[in-house]
Amino acid sequence: MSFRVNQDRLGFELDRFARIGASSEGGVARLAFSPEEREALGQMESLLKAEGLATRRDAIGNLFGRREGAAPGLPALRVGSHLDTVPDGGRFDGALGVIAGLEVVRVLREQGIQTRHPIEVVAFVGEEAARFGMGCLGSRATVGTLNLPRLLAARDLRGISGAEALRQAGLAPEALPSAAQKPREIAAFLELHIEQGRVLEAAQKAIGIVTDVANYTRLHVEVIGRADHSGTTPMPLRRDALAAASEMVLAVEETVTALGQAPSVGTVGVLRVDPGAVNVIPGRAAFEVDVRDIDFDRKARIAQRIQERIAAIAERRGVEVQVAIPSDGHPVPLSATVVETIQKTCEDLDIPAQKMVSGAGHDAMHIAPFAPAGMIFVPSREGRSHSRLEWTDLADLVPGVEVLLETLLQLDKKTTDH
Ligand SMILES: [Zn+2]
């Protein structure tokens, strides 16, 4: 079976969007609600309009392009992802899924295919948590699960609040609740994304069919010891917050390794030391723990055990410890119907595929409790992502877009009342 997706056209569009917010070193920076994200949304809107789609923006700035279906009154089959990036990010994370949506509607027009359901290409805003510490802002707004007061009050590194950033992007913060939609407006949502890991590359599979999206528990740990002179305080008299925190960081690694199974992971990626001087014993150390799993109970057991270990280390070393849990999310299973449809499509197209779990969060996980949602992964070279080194060869992207297109057509044939 020959592919209908146009590889050159796909490459041309990826290049076009990689130039928006490009750095001289080859990275891309389009932060949530930034002028660069706005420019990318504007360009995508023009391209969708040129394909004859009716476009609209909602109150948080999400872009929708709609191609009407033949059967009146059916909910839309949605396809897309996000156009924002982390600072110095890559050209595929997010953009691929939206550009793939554009390619799908281009193929439908070329081939004269009329679907029963309307097809909507969507670009959700603010998927990356890099600017305000909260991610998937646009997709969560559409399903009414965005914590609005928290977003409006959050501040970026320059001290700009979420409310100010929205206004700078031409949006009215007070109108945000109106972005929430109704489940009956969506027949299904499909997101094509790079894997951002090494599973597919190692298994030499072209496609990953995502069955579940792991969610995280975050622990914020504050260790309080005593800042003393590093020259005059004998070792037995010290209450060194950093030495205690170091032992706790290793305990996180040991605990996850001992209690977890394949999808369980635990990481400490942030550590702050106070006062941070070469001749002062650290009086305070704060670190963040990120535990992820697709099994909520196992994740809870791991988090519980980590807290016990931290408390024991603090007691033995005579330091105080405070643990806060700012996030404790439930893992999200994706739609079994959509998973089966993607799998059948890969078999029909003779594309090597495997089912897998997503360790990273995505827009699709927020849509999933609301409407049938599925994700298709393509391999990432060396698993690099959130980096300018992110790469997938064009020839490896094409099967992903083809599977996306065919899955959409298969879902269109099924009755999708939910
Ligand atoms: Zn992404």
Side-chain angles (χ1 to χ4, degrees):
M1 183 174 193
S2 65
F3 285 169
R4 293 162 289 187
V5 167
N6 184 323
Q7 177 168 324
D8 292 342
R9 186 166 60 192
L10 188 67
F12 180 86
E13 298 302 352
L14 282 161
D15 286 343
R16 183 205 302 267
F17 282 86
R19 284 195 295 273
I20 307 172
S23 71
S24 51
E25 294 84 25
V28 185
R30 293 192 296 261
L31 295 186
F33 307 119
S34 66
E36 292 78 18
E37 185 194 31
R38 209 152 66 235
E39 189 185 335
L41 289 163
Q43 289 221 19
M44 183 52 71
E45 181 160 23
S46 306
L47 293 167
L48 294 171
K49 272 189 179 147
E51 289 304 310
L53 272 64
T55 63
R56 66 180 195 278
R57 305 284 185 104
D58 67 10
I60 197 164
N62 293 321
L63 166 66
F64 299 90
R66 184 177 170 100
R67 183 182 194 264
E68 288 301 337
L74 288 184
L77 283 166
R78 249 179 213 172
V79 53
S81 191
H82 59 98
L83 289 172
D84 66 311
T85 71
V86 297
D88 199 24
R91 54 158 62 197
F92 302 100
D93 179 359
L96 171 64
V98 185
I99 292 168
L102 171 66
E103 177 61 22
V104 162
V105 294
R106 284 176 167 170
V107 173
L108 294 180
R109 178 178 52 73
E110 276 170 356
Q111 306 261 325
I113 298 170
Q114 180 60 61
T115 54
R116 294 167 59 227
H117 297 77
I119 304 290
E120 287 191 347
V121 180
V122 55
F124 290 118
V125 298
E127 192 272 344
E128 302 289 359
R131 186 170 182 191
F132 292 110
M134 302 169 65
C136 299
L137 304 174
S139 52
R140 288 205 265 182
T142 66
V143 297
T145 56
L146 177 62
N147 185 333
L148 293 178
R150 194 174 144 207
L151 170 62
L152 299 183
R155 297 209 174 254
D156 69 8
L157 288 174
R158 285 158 55 214
I160 298 170
S161 72
E164 286 162 341
L166 282 162
R167 277 191 216 99
Q168 286 169 2
L171 301 160
E174 57 281 3
L176 252 49
S178 72
Q181 304 179 354
K182 295 182 180 61
R184 65 167 184 274
E185 295 172 49
I186 309 165
F189 172 65
L190 281 179
E191 183 171 10
L192 174 69
H193 206 283
I194 53 165
E195 182 201 334
Q196 306 177 281
R198 287 171 228 184
V199 173
L200 293 174
E201 193 179 59
Q204 297 192 304
K205 292 282 163 54
I207 296 289
I209 305 163
V210 182
T211 56
D212 301 83
V213 183
N215 211 335
Y216 53 77
T217 297
R218 297 244 165 92
L219 307 178
H220 174 83
V221 184
E222 191 102 26
V223 185
I224 302 133
R226 209 180 109 155
D228 283 307
H229 194 296
S230 72
T232 60
T233 317
M235 299 310 280
L237 298 185
R238 296 179 176 211
R239 289 195 287 135
D240 184 327
L242 178 58
S246 306
E247 222 184 295
M248 293 169 187
V249 170
L250 293 176
V252 170
E253 190 183 48
E254 283 164 17
T255 305
V256 181
T257 308
L259 291 185
Q261 282 161 33
S264 319
V265 285
T267 309
V268 176
V270 176
L271 175 66
R272 280 182 295 271
V273 183
D274 260 354
V278 71
N279 57 352
V280 183
I281 297 164
R284 267 173 189 271
F287 62 94
E288 315 277 342
V289 185
D290 173 297
V291 179
R292 300 190 191 213
D293 209 310
I294 54 162
D295 181 324
F296 185 77
D297 294 332
R298 188 169 56 210
K299 177 163 68 78
R301 274 200 304 281
I302 292 170
Q304 179 60 36
R305 181 66 187 140
I306 287 171
Q307 290 185 75
E308 289 163 9
R309 297 267 322 253
I310 286 173
I313 293 164
E315 169 139 22
R316 177 161 45 75
R317 286 180 161 269
V319 295
E320 248 181 79
V321 71
Q322 289 161 3
V323 179
I325 305 177
S327 315
D328 188 20
H330 278 267
V332 180
L334 299 182
S335 158
T337 308
V338 177
V339 166
E340 271 166 37
T341 310
I342 299 170
Q343 191 171 29
K344 174 83 169 50
T345 299
C346 292
E347 285 164 17
D348 291 349
L349 296 175
D350 203 17
I351 297 174
Q354 75 172 48
K355 289 185 182 173
M356 61 182 295
V357 164
S358 172
H362 293 288
D363 289 314
M365 76 189 286
H366 297 283
I367 308 299
F370 185 83
M375 287 197 81
I376 300 162
F377 277 173
V378 286
S380 301
R381 193 169 73 189
E382 292 171 19
R384 304 300 291 244
S385 188
H386 283 186
S387 155
R388 68 183 74 153
L389 298 175
E390 192 176 273
W391 193 259
T392 305
D393 286 338
L394 198 46
D396 295 331
L397 297 174
V398 171
V401 184
E402 193 72 30
V403 170
L404 181 74
L405 165 67
E406 190 53 37
T407 303
L408 206 65
L409 293 175
Q410 292 305 320
L411 289 173
D412 183 52
K413 288 181 194 159
K414 300 183 178 177
T415 37
T416 41
D417 289 333
H418 65 89

